[in-house]
Amino acid sequence: VVFSVLDGGNVGIGTTAPSAPLNIRSDSATVGGIPLITLENLQADGTASIGAHINFYLDNSNSENTGGSVGVVEDGNDGYAELVFKTTPASNSSTLNERMRITSGGEVGIGTTAPAAKLHVFTETDETDEGTDAALTLGSNTSGKMRMYMGVNDAGNYTYIGSVESGVAYRNLALQPNGGNVGIGTTSLTGGNVKLDIVNAASAVGSQIRLKNDHNTGFYIGVGGGSTSGDAIVWNDANTNTLFHTNGNERMRIQNDGNVGIGESSPAY
């Protein structure tokens, strides 16, 4: 059977019992199968060939507009085909906007026509929230369910990652919850009981950790660089005291005037 049309209007190619408006069947035993449909468009726009596309229509209450499209275009650099996915914007429009592309090299781009990695999600935003400004989210957006989100902030020149219970509150973010160590500025982790390795390749300034409160008071601990290279440093950058506690009790303090008290909360020297 090459071609058949049933009374109900279903069309069959390679079958006498089409189960859909168009049913194409092949009994080929070729490993990987053979193409059942081949579409070609040899038109060119002057820079890159516009390949064949399939459009999908949605019959809505306003009018029948193109809802989406899948097709191929020619890469203007090497002449290979790239697969593109398009949809219309939220407004009632027949304009198709590209949303995703798979290049001839296998890179996937979402929001970009030139993905720079195996998966490249493009976004431009100055926000840090977990909404649609985030480039990627994992989990459920159902209220009370957990999600992880990440994105970029162009104005602040940083990227971010966070954890949220959808519709409730921001929640804890765990790194290496099942073991292993974490490195910042290094891939050569110390291992063993050193769970966090922090390395600053700019040896002139060393490496520090800063603890800061809502009054903009900062406390630093780190390793000095330059003239203090190798020295362990603890310092308070505000005009406040530095306290040392054990077992919930103060044992020593360094006053903001430099006086040191051990077992004394108001040292005179």
Side-chain angles (χ1 to χ4, degrees):
V1 177
V2 177
F3 182 85
S4 63
V5 180
L6 298 187
D7 291 340
N10 288 354
V11 177
I13 300 176
T15 177
T16 59
S19 58
L22 176 61
N23 191 166
I24 303 174
R25 175 178 174 176
S26 171
D27 294 323
S28 171
T30 303
V31 176
I34 61 173
L36 295 182
I37 300 177
T38 298
L39 305 177
E40 290 185 274
N41 179 11
L42 302 181
Q43 179 184 358
D45 65 357
T47 56
S49 176
I50 302 174
H53 286 69
I54 299 176
N55 288 351
F56 301 90
Y57 290 88
L58 174 64
D59 189 6
N60 55 36
S61 59
N62 297 316
S63 62
E64 188 176 271
N65 286 328
T66 303
S69 172
V70 179
V72 293
V73 297
E74 182 183 332
D75 182 342
N77 296 321
D78 55 26
Y80 294 114
E82 300 188 335
L83 187 62
V84 297
F85 299 80
K86 301 179 180 181
T87 64
T88 53
S91 59
N92 189 33
S93 170
S94 60
T95 301
L96 286 166
N97 296 329
E98 181 176 329
R99 308 301 187 184
M100 185 174 76
R101 173 180 296 231
I102 303 176
T103 71
S104 58
E107 293 84 10
V108 177
I110 299 177
T112 177
T113 60
K118 289 302 180 183
L119 175 61
H120 183 171
V121 181
F122 178 84
T123 181
E124 286 184 310
T125 178
D126 296 329
E127 302 296 330
T128 55
D129 61 33
E130 75 284 2
T132 56
D133 289 321
L136 179 66
T137 187
L138 303 175
S140 173
N141 62 352
T142 301
S143 181
K145 300 295 184 179
M146 291 299 300
R147 280 194 298 129
M148 185 197 77
Y149 60 95
M150 60 182 65
V152 299
N153 186 296
D154 288 323
N157 294 321
Y158 63 83
T159 61
Y160 61 89
I161 181 171
S163 175
V164 64
E165 184 179 353
S166 297
V168 179
Y170 294 109
R171 298 303 188 194
N172 299 332
L173 178 68
L175 299 178
Q176 295 283 39
N178 299 313
N181 301 333
V182 176
I184 299 176
T186 179
T187 58
S188 301
L189 304 185
T190 303
N193 294 324
V194 180
K195 293 302 179 182
L196 177 61
D197 262 333
I198 301 176
V199 176
N200 187 352
S203 58
V205 296
S207 296
Q208 298 91 33
I209 297 176
R210 180 177 69 172
L211 306 177
K212 195 174 181 181
N213 62 17
D214 57 350
H215 297 291
N216 207 34
T217 298
F219 175 80
Y220 298 75
I221 182 170
V223 177
S227 61
T228 61
S229 182
D231 290 345
I233 301 175
V234 177
W235 74 93
N236 184 341
D237 68 355
N239 188 28
T240 56
N241 304 322
T242 300
L243 312 180
F244 298 83
H245 287 238
T246 65
N247 198 29
N249 296 306
E250 181 182 327
R251 306 302 186 183
M252 186 178 78
R253 69 167 49 203
I254 302 175
Q255 295 278 107
N256 58 354
D257 58 6
N259 292 343
V260 178
I262 299 177
E264 173 59 57
S265 61
S266 299
Y269 305 98

